[in-house]
Amino acid sequence: VRGPLPQRLGEQNEQTQCIVELKPGDLIEIFRSCYQHWAIYVGDGKVVHLAPPCEHPMDGIASVLAALSDRAFVKKDWLEDVVRKDRYRVNNKHDETHPPLPVSKIVRWAEELVGREMPYNLTSHNCEHFVMELRYGVAMSDQVTEAIAMGTVGVMGMAAAVIRSMAQRRKHRKE
């Protein structure tokens, strides 16, 4: 029988570990190699999260499965099993702009969803959307917003480079 996970918070500096008390309803941001996975703390060392059909211990495979899948399952797991060796932190980042729902409602709703199959889409129904809706009643994902913004900036940058290159070629031809 496991005891609750030591209640720690992974900081940016890996040499520093800051002790925090996890509270039911807290959003847990887990830093995977190339994305963040999100879960919601429900107490006693456990979290509820949205995961691809078969969550492999190797996060690269799980993230590929998630990207290719159009469904995911709501799971309740030990926080330490979900975090593995990755850094994590409590990140209730929208508390100032979106008042959280009552903790009892958040936890009850999360627990009621455990075991359910849910639609999954990287841009509209991912693990961050899932936990944000549980905490705030609004499904949102800053990862998606930032990725779209970066993609837009990237596309605009590429377009500018192409236009600049074409202009230089025309100028060079005229000379």
Side-chain angles (χ1 to χ4, degrees), residues 21-107:
E21 183 180 337
L22 297 173
K23 297 181 290 290
D26 278 343
L27 297 175
I28 308 296
E29 181 179 20
I30 303 159
F31 297 91
R32 299 288 196 232
S33 58
C34 58
Y35 69 100
Q36 285 82 33
H37 183 60
W38 288 83
I40 195 153
Y41 188 71
V42 293
D44 299 323
K46 297 223 173 171
V47 295
V48 170
H49 62 118
L50 192 62
C54 53
E55 174 94 1
H56 289 274
M58 299 180 325
D59 66 327
I61 292 172
S63 62
V64 168
L65 285 173
L68 297 175
S69 181
D70 62 351
R71 62 190 176 96
F73 291 91
V74 180
K75 296 183 177 184
K76 182 177 179 181
D77 292 306
W78 292 98
L79 176 59
E80 65 186 280
D81 290 344
V82 177
V83 169
R84 297 186 303 261
K85 293 183 180 186
D86 295 322
R87 284 184 315 104
Y88 73 97
R89 68 177 176 168
V90 171
N91 189 356
N92 300 322
K93 61 185 175 179
H94 293 295
D95 281 8
E96 290 185 20
T97 56
H98 293 82
L101 299 171
V103 171
S104 60
K105 182 175 183 173
I106 295 169
V107 172

Coordinates of all heavy atoms in Angstrom, one line a residue, residues 21-107:
E21 N 2.2 22.4 -0.2 CA 1.1 21.6 0.2 C 0.1 21.5 -1.0 O -0.4 22.6 -1.4 CB 0.4 22.1 1.5 CG -0.7 21.2 1.9 CD -1.4 21.8 3.2 OE1 -0.8 22.6 3.9 OE2 -2.6 21.4 3.4
L22 N -0.1 20.4 -1.5 CA -1.0 20.2 -2.6 C -2.4 20.2 -2.0 O -2.7 19.6 -1.0 CB -0.8 18.9 -3.4 CG 0.6 18.8 -4.1 CD1 0.8 17.4 -4.6 CD2 0.7 19.8 -5.1
K23 N -3.3 20.9 -2.7 CA -4.7 21.0 -2.2 C -5.6 20.4 -3.3 O -5.4 20.7 -4.5 CB -5.1 22.5 -1.9 CG -4.2 23.1 -0.8 CD -4.6 24.5 -0.5 CE -4.3 25.5 -1.5 NZ -2.9 25.9 -1.8
P24 N -6.6 19.7 -2.9 CA -7.6 19.2 -3.9 C -8.1 20.4 -4.8 O -8.3 21.5 -4.3 CB -8.7 18.7 -3.1 CG -8.0 18.2 -1.8 CD -7.0 19.3 -1.6
G25 N -8.1 20.1 -6.1 CA -8.6 21.1 -7.0 C -7.4 21.9 -7.7 O -7.6 22.6 -8.7
D26 N -6.2 21.7 -7.2 CA -5.0 22.3 -7.8 C -4.7 21.7 -9.1 O -4.8 20.5 -9.3 CB -3.7 22.1 -6.9 CG -3.6 23.0 -5.7 OD1 -4.3 24.1 -5.8 OD2 -2.8 22.8 -4.8
L27 N -4.3 22.6 -10.1 CA -3.9 22.1 -11.4 C -2.4 21.8 -11.3 O -1.6 22.6 -10.8 CB -4.1 23.2 -12.4 CG -5.5 23.7 -12.6 CD1 -5.6 24.8 -13.6 CD2 -6.4 22.5 -13.1
I28 N -2.0 20.6 -11.8 CA -0.6 20.2 -11.8 C -0.1 20.2 -13.3 O -0.7 19.5 -14.1 CB -0.5 18.7 -11.3 CG1 -1.2 18.6 -9.9 CG2 0.9 18.3 -11.2 CD1 -0.6 19.4 -8.8
E29 N 0.9 21.0 -13.5 CA 1.6 21.1 -14.8 C 2.8 20.2 -14.7 O 3.7 20.4 -13.9 CB 1.9 22.5 -15.1 CG 2.6 22.7 -16.4 CD 2.9 24.2 -16.7 OE1 3.0 25.0 -15.8 OE2 3.1 24.5 -17.9
I30 N 2.9 19.2 -15.6 CA 4.0 18.3 -15.7 C 4.8 18.5 -16.9 O 4.2 18.5 -18.0 CB 3.5 16.8 -15.7 CG1 2.6 16.6 -14.4 CG2 4.6 15.8 -15.7 CD1 1.6 15.5 -14.5
F31 N 6.1 18.8 -16.8 CA 6.9 19.2 -17.9 C 7.5 17.9 -18.5 O 8.5 17.4 -18.1 CB 8.0 20.1 -17.4 CG 7.5 21.4 -16.8 CD1 7.2 21.5 -15.5 CD2 7.2 22.5 -17.7 CE1 6.6 22.7 -15.0 CE2 6.7 23.6 -17.2 CZ 6.4 23.8 -15.8
R32 N 6.9 17.5 -19.6 CA 7.4 16.4 -20.4 C 8.5 17.0 -21.4 O 8.8 18.1 -21.4 CB 6.3 15.8 -21.3 CG 5.2 15.2 -20.5 CD 5.6 13.9 -19.8 NE 4.4 13.2 -19.3 CZ 4.2 12.8 -18.1 NH1 5.1 13.0 -17.2 NH2 3.1 12.1 -17.8
S33 N 9.1 16.1 -22.1 CA 10.3 16.5 -23.0 C 9.9 17.6 -24.0 O 10.7 18.5 -24.2 CB 10.9 15.3 -23.7 OG 9.9 14.7 -24.5
C34 N 8.7 17.6 -24.6 CA 8.4 18.6 -25.6 C 7.0 19.2 -25.5 O 6.5 19.8 -26.4 CB 8.6 18.0 -27.0 SG 7.6 16.5 -27.3
Y35 N 6.4 18.9 -24.3 CA 5.0 19.5 -24.1 C 4.8 19.4 -22.6 O 5.6 18.8 -21.8 CB 4.0 18.7 -24.9 CG 3.7 17.3 -24.4 CD1 2.7 17.0 -23.5 CD2 4.6 16.3 -24.7 CE1 2.5 15.7 -23.1 CE2 4.4 15.0 -24.3 CZ 3.3 14.7 -23.4 OH 3.1 13.5 -23.0
Q36 N 3.7 20.0 -22.2 CA 3.3 19.9 -20.8 C 2.0 19.0 -20.7 O 1.1 19.2 -21.5 CB 2.9 21.3 -20.1 CG 4.1 22.1 -19.8 CD 4.6 22.8 -21.0 OE1 3.9 23.2 -21.9 NE2 5.9 23.0 -21.1
H37 N 2.0 18.1 -19.8 CA 0.9 17.3 -19.5 C 0.2 17.9 -18.2 O 0.9 18.5 -17.4 CB 1.2 15.8 -19.2 CG 0.1 14.9 -18.9 ND1 -0.9 14.7 -19.9 CD2 -0.3 14.2 -17.9 CE1 -1.8 13.9 -19.4 NE2 -1.5 13.6 -18.2
W38 N -1.1 17.8 -18.2 CA -1.9 18.5 -17.1 C -2.7 17.5 -16.4 O -3.3 16.6 -17.0 CB -2.8 19.6 -17.7 CG -2.0 20.8 -18.1 CD1 -1.4 21.0 -19.3 CD2 -1.7 22.0 -17.4 NE1 -0.7 22.2 -19.3 CE2 -1.0 22.8 -18.2 CE3 -2.1 22.4 -16.1 CZ2 -0.5 24.1 -17.7 CZ3 -1.7 23.7 -15.7 CH2 -0.9 24.5 -16.5
A39 N -2.8 17.7 -15.1 CA -3.7 16.8 -14.2 C -4.3 17.7 -13.2 O -3.9 18.8 -13.0 CB -2.9 15.7 -13.6
I40 N -5.3 17.2 -12.5 CA -5.9 17.9 -11.4 C -5.8 17.1 -10.1 O -6.1 15.9 -10.1 CB -7.4 18.3 -11.7 CG1 -7.8 19.4 -10.7 CG2 -8.3 17.1 -11.7 CD1 -8.9 20.3 -11.3
Y41 N -5.3 17.7 -9.0 CA -5.1 17.0 -7.8 C -6.4 16.8 -7.1 O -7.2 17.7 -6.9 CB -4.1 17.8 -6.9 CG -3.7 17.0 -5.7 CD1 -2.8 15.9 -5.8 CD2 -4.2 17.4 -4.4 CE1 -2.4 15.2 -4.7 CE2 -3.8 16.7 -3.3 CZ -2.9 15.6 -3.4 OH -2.5 14.9 -2.3
V42 N -6.7 15.5 -6.7 CA -8.0 15.2 -6.0 C -7.8 14.8 -4.6 O -8.7 14.5 -3.9 CB -8.8 14.2 -6.8 CG1 -9.3 14.8 -8.1 CG2 -8.1 12.9 -7.0
G43 N -6.5 14.8 -4.1 CA -6.3 14.4 -2.7 C -5.7 13.1 -2.6 O -5.7 12.2 -3.5
D44 N -5.1 12.8 -1.4 CA -4.5 11.5 -1.0 C -3.4 11.1 -2.0 O -3.3 9.9 -2.3 CB -5.5 10.5 -0.9 CG -6.5 10.8 0.3 OD1 -6.0 11.3 1.3 OD2 -7.7 10.5 0.1
G45 N -2.7 12.0 -2.6 CA -1.6 11.7 -3.6 C -2.1 11.3 -5.0 O -1.3 10.8 -5.8
K46 N -3.4 11.5 -5.3 CA -3.9 11.1 -6.6 C -4.3 12.3 -7.4 O -4.7 13.3 -6.9 CB -5.1 10.2 -6.3 CG -4.7 8.9 -5.6 CD -5.4 7.7 -6.3 CE -4.8 6.4 -5.6 NZ -5.6 5.3 -6.1
V47 N -4.3 12.1 -8.7 CA -4.7 13.1 -9.7 C -5.6 12.4 -10.7 O -5.6 11.2 -10.9 CB -3.5 13.7 -10.5 CG1 -2.6 14.5 -9.6 CG2 -2.7 12.6 -11.2
V48 N -6.4 13.3 -11.3 CA -7.3 12.8 -12.4 C -6.7 13.6 -13.7 O -6.4 14.8 -13.6 CB -8.8 13.2 -12.2 CG1 -9.6 13.0 -13.4 CG2 -9.3 12.4 -11.0
H49 N -6.6 12.8 -14.8 CA -6.1 13.4 -16.0 C -6.6 12.7 -17.2 O -7.2 11.6 -17.1 CB -4.5 13.3 -16.0 CG -4.0 12.0 -15.9 ND1 -3.2 11.5 -16.9 CD2 -4.1 11.0 -15.0 CE1 -2.8 10.2 -16.6 NE2 -3.4 9.9 -15.5
L50 N -6.5 13.4 -18.3 CA -6.9 12.9 -19.6 C -5.7 12.2 -20.3 O -4.7 12.9 -20.5 CB -7.5 14.0 -20.5 CG -8.3 13.6 -21.7 CD1 -9.5 12.7 -21.4 CD2 -8.7 14.9 -22.5
A51 N -5.8 11.0 -20.7 CA -4.6 10.2 -21.2 C -5.0 9.5 -22.5 O -6.2 9.1 -22.6 CB -4.1 9.3 -20.2
P52 N -4.1 9.3 -23.4 CA -4.4 8.5 -24.6 C -4.8 7.0 -24.2 O -4.5 6.6 -23.0 CB -3.1 8.5 -25.4 CG -2.0 8.9 -24.4 CD -2.7 9.7 -23.3
P53 N -5.3 6.3 -25.1 CA -5.8 5.0 -24.8 C -4.9 4.0 -24.1 O -5.2 3.3 -23.2 CB -6.2 4.4 -26.2 CG -6.5 5.6 -27.0 CD -5.6 6.7 -26.5
C54 N -3.6 4.1 -24.5 CA -2.6 3.3 -23.7 C -1.4 4.1 -23.4 O -0.6 4.4 -24.2 CB -2.2 2.0 -24.5 SG -1.6 2.3 -26.1
E55 N -1.4 4.6 -22.2 CA -0.3 5.5 -21.7 C 0.9 4.6 -21.4 O 0.9 3.9 -20.5 CB -0.8 6.2 -20.5 CG 0.3 7.1 -19.8 CD 0.3 8.5 -20.2 OE1 -0.6 8.9 -21.0 OE2 1.1 9.3 -19.7
H56 N 1.9 4.7 -22.3 CA 3.2 4.0 -22.1 C 4.1 4.7 -21.1 O 4.0 6.0 -21.1 CB 3.9 3.8 -23.4 CG 3.2 2.8 -24.3 ND1 3.4 1.5 -24.2 CD2 2.3 3.0 -25.3 CE1 2.6 0.9 -25.1 NE2 1.9 1.8 -25.8
P57 N 5.0 4.0 -20.5 CA 5.9 4.8 -19.6 C 6.8 5.7 -20.3 O 7.3 6.7 -19.7 CB 6.7 3.6 -18.9 CG 6.2 2.4 -19.5 CD 5.1 2.6 -20.4
M58 N 7.0 5.5 -21.6 CA 7.9 6.4 -22.4 C 7.0 7.5 -22.9 O 6.2 7.3 -23.8 CB 8.6 5.6 -23.5 CG 9.4 4.5 -22.9 SD 10.3 3.5 -24.1 CE 9.3 3.4 -25.5
D59 N 7.2 8.7 -22.4 CA 6.3 9.8 -22.8 C 6.3 10.1 -24.3 O 5.3 10.6 -24.8 CB 6.5 11.0 -22.0 CG 7.9 11.7 -22.2 OD1 8.9 10.9 -22.5 OD2 8.0 12.9 -22.1
G60 N 7.4 9.8 -25.0 CA 7.4 10.1 -26.4 C 6.4 9.3 -27.1 O 5.6 9.8 -28.0
I61 N 6.3 8.0 -26.8 CA 5.3 7.1 -27.4 C 3.9 7.6 -27.1 O 3.0 7.7 -27.9 CB 5.5 5.7 -27.0 CG1 6.8 5.1 -27.6 CG2 4.3 4.8 -27.4 CD1 7.2 3.8 -27.1
A62 N 3.7 7.9 -25.8 CA 2.3 8.4 -25.3 C 1.9 9.7 -26.1 O 0.8 9.8 -26.5 CB 2.3 8.6 -23.8
S63 N 2.9 10.6 -26.3 CA 2.5 11.8 -26.9 C 2.2 11.6 -28.4 O 1.3 12.2 -28.9 CB 3.6 12.9 -26.8 OG 4.8 12.5 -27.4
V64 N 2.9 10.7 -29.0 CA 2.6 10.3 -30.4 C 1.2 9.7 -30.5 O 0.4 10.0 -31.4 CB 3.7 9.4 -31.0 CG1 3.2 8.8 -32.4 CG2 5.0 10.1 -31.2
L65 N 0.9 8.7 -29.6 CA -0.4 8.1 -29.6 C -1.5 9.1 -29.4 O -2.5 9.1 -30.0 CB -0.5 7.1 -28.4 CG 0.3 5.8 -28.7 CD1 0.3 4.9 -27.5 CD2 -0.3 5.0 -29.9
A66 N -1.3 10.1 -28.5 CA -2.3 11.1 -28.2 C -2.5 11.9 -29.5 O -3.6 12.2 -29.8 CB -1.8 12.0 -27.1
A67 N -1.4 12.3 -30.1 CA -1.6 13.1 -31.3 C -2.3 12.4 -32.4 O -3.0 13.0 -33.2 CB -0.2 13.6 -31.8
L68 N -2.2 11.1 -32.5 CA -2.8 10.3 -33.6 C -4.2 9.8 -33.2 O -5.0 9.4 -34.1 CB -1.9 9.1 -33.9 CG -0.5 9.3 -34.4 CD1 0.2 8.0 -34.6 CD2 -0.6 10.1 -35.7
S69 N -4.5 9.9 -31.9 CA -5.8 9.4 -31.5 C -6.9 10.5 -31.5 O -6.6 11.7 -31.3 CB -5.7 8.8 -30.1 OG -6.9 8.3 -29.6
D70 N -8.1 10.1 -31.6 CA -9.2 11.1 -31.5 C -10.0 10.8 -30.2 O -11.1 11.3 -30.1 CB -10.1 11.0 -32.7 CG -10.8 9.7 -32.9 OD1 -10.4 8.7 -32.2 OD2 -11.7 9.6 -33.8
R71 N -9.5 10.0 -29.3 CA -10.1 9.7 -28.1 C -9.1 9.5 -27.0 O -7.9 9.3 -27.3 CB -11.0 8.4 -28.2 CG -10.2 7.2 -28.5 CD -11.1 6.0 -28.9 NE -10.3 4.9 -29.3 CZ -9.9 3.9 -28.4 NH1 -10.3 3.9 -27.2 NH2 -9.2 2.9 -28.9
A72 N -9.5 9.7 -25.8 CA -8.7 9.6 -24.6 C -9.5 9.1 -23.5 O -10.8 9.1 -23.6 CB -8.0 10.9 -24.3
F73 N -8.9 8.7 -22.4 CA -9.6 8.2 -21.2 C -9.3 9.1 -20.0 O -8.2 9.5 -19.8 CB -9.3 6.8 -21.0 CG -9.8 5.9 -22.0 CD1 -9.1 5.5 -23.1 CD2 -11.1 5.4 -21.9 CE1 -9.6 4.7 -24.1 CE2 -11.7 4.6 -22.9 CZ -10.9 4.2 -24.0
V74 N -10.3 9.3 -19.2 CA -10.1 10.0 -17.9 C -9.6 8.9 -16.9 O -10.2 7.9 -16.7 CB -11.4 10.6 -17.4 CG1 -11.2 11.4 -16.1 CG2 -12.0 11.6 -18.5
K75 N -8.4 9.2 -16.4 CA -7.8 8.3 -15.5 C -7.6 8.9 -14.1 O -7.3 10.1 -14.0 CB -6.5 7.8 -16.0 CG -6.6 7.0 -17.3 CD -5.3 6.5 -17.8 CE -5.4 5.7 -19.1 NZ -4.1 5.1 -19.5
K76 N -7.6 8.1 -13.1 CA -7.2 8.5 -11.7 C -6.0 7.7 -11.4 O -6.0 6.4 -11.3 CB -8.3 8.3 -10.8 CG -8.0 8.7 -9.3 CD -9.2 8.6 -8.4 CE -8.9 9.0 -7.0 NZ -10.1 8.8 -6.1
D77 N -4.9 8.4 -11.1 CA -3.6 7.7 -10.9 C -2.9 8.4 -9.7 O -3.2 9.5 -9.4 CB -2.7 7.7 -12.1 CG -3.2 6.9 -13.3 OD1 -3.5 5.7 -13.0 OD2 -3.4 7.4 -14.4
W78 N -1.9 7.7 -9.2 CA -1.0 8.3 -8.2 C -0.2 9.4 -8.9 O 0.2 9.2 -10.1 CB 0.0 7.3 -7.7 CG -0.6 6.2 -6.8 CD1 -1.0 5.0 -7.2 CD2 -1.0 6.4 -5.4 NE1 -1.5 4.3 -6.1 CE2 -1.5 5.1 -5.0 CE3 -0.9 7.4 -4.5 CZ2 -2.0 4.9 -3.7 CZ3 -1.3 7.2 -3.2 CH2 -1.9 6.0 -2.8
L79 N -0.1 10.5 -8.3 CA 0.7 11.6 -8.9 C 2.1 11.2 -9.3 O 2.5 11.5 -10.4 CB 0.7 12.8 -7.9 CG 1.5 14.0 -8.3 CD1 1.1 14.6 -9.7 CD2 1.5 15.1 -7.2
E80 N 2.7 10.4 -8.4 CA 4.1 10.0 -8.7 C 4.2 9.1 -10.0 O 5.1 9.2 -10.7 CB 4.7 9.3 -7.5 CG 4.0 8.0 -7.2 CD 4.6 7.4 -5.9 OE1 5.6 6.7 -6.0 OE2 3.9 7.5 -4.9
D81 N 3.1 8.4 -10.3 CA 3.1 7.5 -11.5 C 2.9 8.4 -12.7 O 3.4 8.0 -13.8 CB 2.0 6.5 -11.4 CG 2.3 5.4 -10.4 OD1 3.5 5.3 -9.9 OD2 1.4 4.7 -10.0
V82 N 2.1 9.4 -12.6 CA 1.9 10.3 -13.7 C 3.1 11.2 -14.0 O 3.6 11.4 -15.1 CB 0.6 11.2 -13.5 CG1 0.4 12.1 -14.7 CG2 -0.6 10.3 -13.4
V83 N 3.7 11.7 -12.9 CA 4.9 12.6 -13.0 C 6.1 11.8 -13.5 O 6.9 12.3 -14.3 CB 5.1 13.3 -11.7 CG1 6.5 14.0 -11.7 CG2 4.0 14.3 -11.4
R84 N 6.3 10.6 -13.0 CA 7.5 9.8 -13.2 C 8.7 10.7 -12.8 O 8.7 11.1 -11.7 CB 7.6 9.4 -14.7 CG 6.4 8.4 -15.1 CD 6.5 7.9 -16.4 NE 6.6 8.8 -17.5 CZ 5.6 9.2 -18.3 NH1 4.4 8.7 -18.1 NH2 5.8 10.0 -19.3
K85 N 9.7 10.8 -13.7 CA 10.9 11.6 -13.3 C 10.9 13.0 -13.8 O 11.9 13.7 -13.7 CB 12.1 10.9 -13.8 CG 12.3 9.5 -13.1 CD 13.6 8.9 -13.6 CE 13.7 7.5 -12.9 NZ 15.0 6.9 -13.1
D86 N 9.7 13.5 -14.3 CA 9.6 14.8 -14.8 C 9.4 15.8 -13.7 O 9.0 15.5 -12.6 CB 8.5 14.9 -15.8 CG 8.7 14.1 -17.1 OD1 9.9 14.0 -17.5 OD2 7.8 13.4 -17.6
R87 N 9.7 17.1 -14.0 CA 9.4 18.2 -13.1 C 7.9 18.5 -13.2 O 7.3 18.3 -14.2 CB 10.2 19.5 -13.5 CG 11.6 19.4 -13.1 CD 12.3 20.8 -13.4 NE 12.0 21.3 -14.7 CZ 11.2 22.4 -14.9 NH1 10.6 23.0 -13.9 NH2 10.9 22.8 -16.1
Y88 N 7.4 19.0 -12.1 CA 6.0 19.4 -12.1 C 5.8 20.6 -11.1 O 6.7 20.9 -10.3 CB 5.1 18.3 -11.7 CG 5.1 17.9 -10.3 CD1 4.1 18.4 -9.4 CD2 6.1 17.0 -9.8 CE1 4.1 18.0 -8.1 CE2 6.1 16.7 -8.4 CZ 5.1 17.2 -7.6 OH 5.1 16.8 -6.3
R89 N 4.7 21.3 -11.3 CA 4.4 22.4 -10.4 C 2.9 22.5 -10.3 O 2.1 22.1 -11.2 CB 5.0 23.7 -10.8 CG 4.5 24.2 -12.1 CD 5.1 25.5 -12.5 NE 4.6 26.0 -13.8 CZ 4.7 27.2 -14.2 NH1 5.4 28.1 -13.5 NH2 4.2 27.6 -15.4
V90 N 2.4 23.1 -9.2 CA 1.1 23.6 -9.1 C 1.0 24.8 -10.0 O 1.8 25.7 -9.8 CB 0.7 23.9 -7.6 CG1 -0.7 24.6 -7.6 CG2 0.7 22.6 -6.8
N91 N 0.0 24.9 -10.8 CA -0.1 26.1 -11.7 C -1.6 26.4 -11.9 O -2.2 26.1 -12.9 CB 0.5 25.8 -13.1 CG 0.6 27.1 -13.9 OD1 0.1 28.1 -13.5 ND2 1.3 27.0 -15.0
N92 N -2.2 27.1 -10.9 CA -3.5 27.6 -11.0 C -3.5 29.0 -11.6 O -3.9 30.0 -11.1 CB -4.1 27.6 -9.6 CG -4.2 26.3 -8.9 OD1 -4.4 25.3 -9.5 ND2 -3.9 26.2 -7.6
K93 N -3.0 29.0 -12.8 CA -2.6 30.2 -13.5 C -3.8 31.2 -13.9 O -3.5 32.4 -14.1 CB -1.8 29.9 -14.8 CG -2.6 29.1 -15.8 CD -1.6 28.7 -16.9 CE -2.3 27.8 -17.9 NZ -1.4 27.5 -19.0
H94 N -5.0 30.7 -13.9 CA -6.1 31.6 -14.3 C -7.0 32.0 -13.1 O -8.1 32.6 -13.3 CB -6.9 31.0 -15.4 CG -6.2 30.8 -16.7 ND1 -5.7 31.9 -17.4 CD2 -5.8 29.7 -17.3 CE1 -5.1 31.4 -18.5 NE2 -5.1 30.1 -18.5
D95 N -6.5 31.8 -11.9 CA -7.3 32.1 -10.7 C -7.7 33.6 -10.7 O -8.8 33.9 -10.2 CB -6.6 31.7 -9.4 CG -6.7 30.2 -9.1 OD1 -7.2 29.5 -10.0 OD2 -6.3 29.8 -8.0
E96 N -6.9 34.5 -11.1 CA -7.2 35.9 -11.0 C -8.2 36.3 -12.1 O -8.9 37.3 -11.9 CB -5.9 36.7 -11.1 CG -5.0 36.6 -9.9 CD -3.8 37.5 -9.9 OE1 -3.8 38.5 -10.7 OE2 -2.9 37.2 -9.2
T97 N -8.2 35.7 -13.2 CA -9.1 36.1 -14.3 C -10.4 35.2 -14.4 O -11.4 35.6 -15.0 CB -8.4 36.1 -15.7 OG1 -7.8 34.7 -15.9 CG2 -7.3 37.1 -15.7
H98 N -10.3 34.0 -13.9 CA -11.5 33.1 -13.9 C -11.6 32.5 -12.5 O -10.8 31.7 -12.1 CB -11.2 31.9 -14.9 CG -11.2 32.3 -16.3 ND1 -10.1 32.9 -16.9 CD2 -12.2 32.3 -17.2 CE1 -10.4 33.1 -18.2 NE2 -11.6 32.8 -18.4
P99 N -12.6 32.9 -11.7 CA -12.7 32.3 -10.4 C -12.9 30.8 -10.4 O -13.7 30.3 -11.2 CB -14.0 33.0 -9.8 CG -14.7 33.6 -11.0 CD -13.7 33.8 -12.1
P100 N -12.1 30.1 -9.6 CA -12.3 28.6 -9.6 C -13.7 28.2 -9.1 O -14.3 28.9 -8.2 CB -11.2 28.1 -8.6 CG -10.4 29.3 -8.3 CD -11.1 30.5 -8.7
L101 N -14.2 27.1 -9.6 CA -15.4 26.5 -9.0 C -15.1 26.0 -7.6 O -14.0 25.9 -7.2 CB -15.8 25.3 -9.9 CG -16.1 25.6 -11.4 CD1 -16.3 24.4 -12.2 CD2 -17.3 26.6 -11.5
P102 N -16.2 25.8 -6.8 CA -15.9 25.3 -5.5 C -15.2 23.9 -5.5 O -15.4 23.1 -6.4 CB -17.4 25.0 -4.9 CG -18.2 25.9 -5.8 CD -17.6 26.0 -7.1
V103 N -14.2 23.8 -4.6 CA -13.4 22.6 -4.6 C -14.2 21.3 -4.6 O -13.9 20.3 -5.3 CB -12.4 22.6 -3.4 CG1 -11.6 21.3 -3.2 CG2 -11.4 23.8 -3.5
S104 N -15.3 21.3 -3.8 CA -16.1 20.0 -3.7 C -16.7 19.7 -5.1 O -16.7 18.5 -5.5 CB -17.2 20.2 -2.7 OG -18.1 21.3 -3.1
K105 N -17.1 20.7 -5.9 CA -17.6 20.5 -7.2 C -16.5 20.0 -8.1 O -16.7 19.1 -8.9 CB -18.3 21.8 -7.7 CG -18.9 21.6 -9.1 CD -19.6 22.8 -9.6 CE -20.3 22.5 -10.9 NZ -21.2 23.6 -11.3
I106 N -15.3 20.6 -8.1 CA -14.2 20.2 -8.9 C -13.9 18.7 -8.7 O -13.8 18.0 -9.7 CB -12.9 21.1 -8.6 CG1 -13.2 22.6 -9.0 CG2 -11.7 20.5 -9.4 CD1 -12.1 23.5 -8.5
V107 N -13.7 18.4 -7.5 CA -13.3 17.0 -7.1 C -14.4 16.0 -7.5 O -14.1 15.0 -8.1 CB -12.9 16.9 -5.7 CG1 -12.6 15.4 -5.3 CG2 -11.6 17.7 -5.4

